[in-house]
Amino acid sequence: MHNSNIRILLSELGKLIGSELRGEDREINGISTPEEASPDKICVVWDLRELKRISEDIPVLSVREANRDGLVSENPKLILPALLSLFEVKKTKYIGIHPSAVIGKDCEISPECWIGPYCVIGNNVRIDELVQLEANVYIDDGCAIGKGTVIESNVSVRRSKIGSNVILHSNCALGCEGFGFIPTPAGILKIPQLGNVIIGDNVEVGACSTIDCGTIGDTEIGDGTRIDNLVQIGHNCKIGKNCIFCSKSGVAGSTIIGDNVIFAAEAVARDHVKIGSNTQLGGRAGVTHDIPKDAIVSGFPAQEHKKELKLQAHVSRLPKLYERVKKLENLIGREKI
């Protein structure tokens, strides 16, 4: 349940988020889940089955078919961000450089940015206006950070060019060396990593995620891509625009990924494969070969989702098939399996 100092009529709220009032107009002061519903909160429901356990006196944001008082929308999920933003407690924006921060030589730092406590900025770094660096951020030599980017505490940025309005959540690491090694009779030979990381505009990188620098060329993340917590992007990967990487997914080095690709939780891709635009990878899918555009794949190795479902259905019937074979063998007197 979310409580707020804001009190607003449902009719006014509807105008702000693009929804229609149905039934009694009343004042609310927050948002609630179905589990914590109360009469002074708007309850967001897009699964009509949830309505069965919500009292009739609770205002809901739902589809027209719900036939319940509150706010009506053709697609409540699409206006949920606008609703939440109205009640969100915004982070305070600061300007200046904290006295404990360490700044290197020949840096270009906008007077309209914030460099927080105990940040360390290397030499020849460019930081544009409205950038916010929280406590303990490390920015290596030669990095550039675009306008309006927010870097949360304990983030490490090396060999990186970061676009505008990017969000880097706590403890993520950009530009560390890729996993480049060659086994030899004399031991494991380390491959130097010379490339950078290029992050487009409006990208978000989750907590504890890592994006490795390129070996020779650059690792690139396209505009609008969203990376969840605990995600690994290997060296030299080229990732398109508006992709989604859910938690614990991973991409090995030199993989090329088109636009609007979705990696569900724990989905992975081996090195040097190509994944076409608009493709979706199911949870724990393992890509071992090129995937065309507009595909939906799952399983390991990843294949067309419908084929994978049929395979799983056949596998689930194996115990019964085994018993049938044993009975048939007994009938004909052959040696048991």
Side-chain angles (χ1 to χ4, degrees):
M1 181 185 298
H2 176 269
N3 295 304
S4 170
N5 293 326
I6 299 174
R7 304 193 69 87
I8 187 170
L9 288 170
L10 285 175
S11 56
E12 296 175 1
L13 180 60
K15 292 176 182 177
L16 291 173
I17 65 175
S19 60
E20 175 187 336
L21 175 67
R22 168 180 278 167
E24 175 190 357
D25 195 9
R26 68 172 77 178
E27 191 176 66
I28 63 162
N29 67 353
I31 308 168
S32 72
T33 64
E35 293 78 14
E36 300 176 311
S38 68
D40 59 347
K41 307 285 187 298
I42 183 81
C43 182
V44 183
V45 183
W46 48 72
D47 185 344
L48 296 184
R49 293 172 296 183
E50 296 281 356
L51 289 172
K52 296 178 181 178
R53 55 193 183 94
I54 299 174
S55 172
E56 292 285 344
D57 65 336
I58 304 296
V60 299
L61 168 61
S62 191
V63 294
R64 194 174 304 277
E65 293 81 359
N67 197 28
R68 290 285 296 268
D69 286 359
L71 297 177
V72 173
S73 170
E74 296 301 323
N75 193 333
K77 284 187 179 181
L78 290 183
I79 64 171
L80 180 61
L83 173 63
L84 295 176
S85 67
L86 291 174
F87 293 93
E88 179 184 15
V89 178
K90 307 292 184 182
K91 282 187 176 182
T92 303
K93 301 288 186 180
Y94 298 99
I95 293 178
I97 299 175
H98 194 274
S100 63
V102 177
I103 311 295
K105 299 177 181 178
D106 301 319
C107 293
E108 298 179 25
I109 298 176
S110 168
E112 298 180 36
C113 75
W114 167 246
I115 298 177
Y118 304 105
C119 288
V120 176
I121 311 298
N123 301 321
N124 301 298
V125 171
R126 192 193 82 236
I127 300 177
D128 292 343
E129 63 269 28
L130 306 180
V131 169
Q132 298 281 296
L133 305 188
E134 297 183 358
N136 297 309
V137 170
Y138 175 77
I139 309 294
D140 203 2
D141 296 349
C143 290
I145 303 171
K147 180 179 178 180
T149 286
V150 175
I151 303 181
E152 295 182 350
S153 58
N154 303 311
V155 168
S156 176
V157 177
R158 304 169 185 270
R159 304 186 188 184
S160 296
K161 310 295 182 185
I162 299 172
S164 301
N165 300 313
V166 171
I167 301 175
L168 303 181
H169 290 283
S170 294
N171 298 296
C172 71
L174 272 59
C176 295
E177 289 193 351
F179 196 69
F181 301 95
I182 299 175
T184 72
I188 298 176
L189 181 64
K190 181 177 176 63
I191 302 173
Q193 308 288 298
L194 307 180
N196 299 310
V197 171
I198 309 297
I199 305 291
D201 298 335
N202 302 304
V203 171
E204 188 161 341
V205 181
C208 300
S209 289
T210 57
I211 303 174
D212 293 340
C213 69
T215 303
I216 299 176
D218 298 327
T219 301
E220 300 177 10
I221 310 294
D223 295 349
T225 285
R226 300 292 192 266
I227 297 173
D228 198 358
N229 304 332
L230 300 168
V231 172
Q232 159 68 15
I233 306 295
H235 53 211
N236 291 99
C237 288
K238 310 293 184 186
I239 294 172
K241 299 178 181 180
N242 300 315
C243 293
I244 294 174
F245 293 85
C246 296
S247 183
K248 298 182 182 179
S249 58
V251 184
S254 300
T255 293
I256 299 175
I257 297 174
D259 299 333
N260 308 309
V261 173
I262 298 175
F263 275 59
E266 299 187 17
V268 295
R270 63 155 293 173
D271 58 299
H272 294 85
V273 298
K274 296 180 180 179
I275 299 174
S277 295
N278 308 310
T279 288
Q280 299 179 36
L281 278 63
R284 295 189 174 180
V287 175
T288 59
H289 53 81
D290 292 354
I291 302 293
K293 66 178 182 179
D294 302 317
I296 301 176
V297 301
S298 60
F300 186 91
Q303 62 176 332
E304 184 183 344
H305 183 55
K306 290 182 179 179
K307 290 183 179 179
E308 176 64 20
L309 290 178
K310 289 180 180 179
L311 176 61
Q312 291 179 15
H314 291 320
V315 170
S316 69
R317 289 195 287 267
L318 285 178
K320 290 183 178 180
L321 179 60
Y322 175 72
E323 293 300 324
R324 289 176 61 189
V325 171
K326 284 202 302 183
K327 290 178 181 179
L328 290 171
E329 287 182 332
N330 289 336
L331 286 175
I332 63 176
R334 292 184 57 184
E335 183 180 348
K336 295 180 181 179
I337 294 176

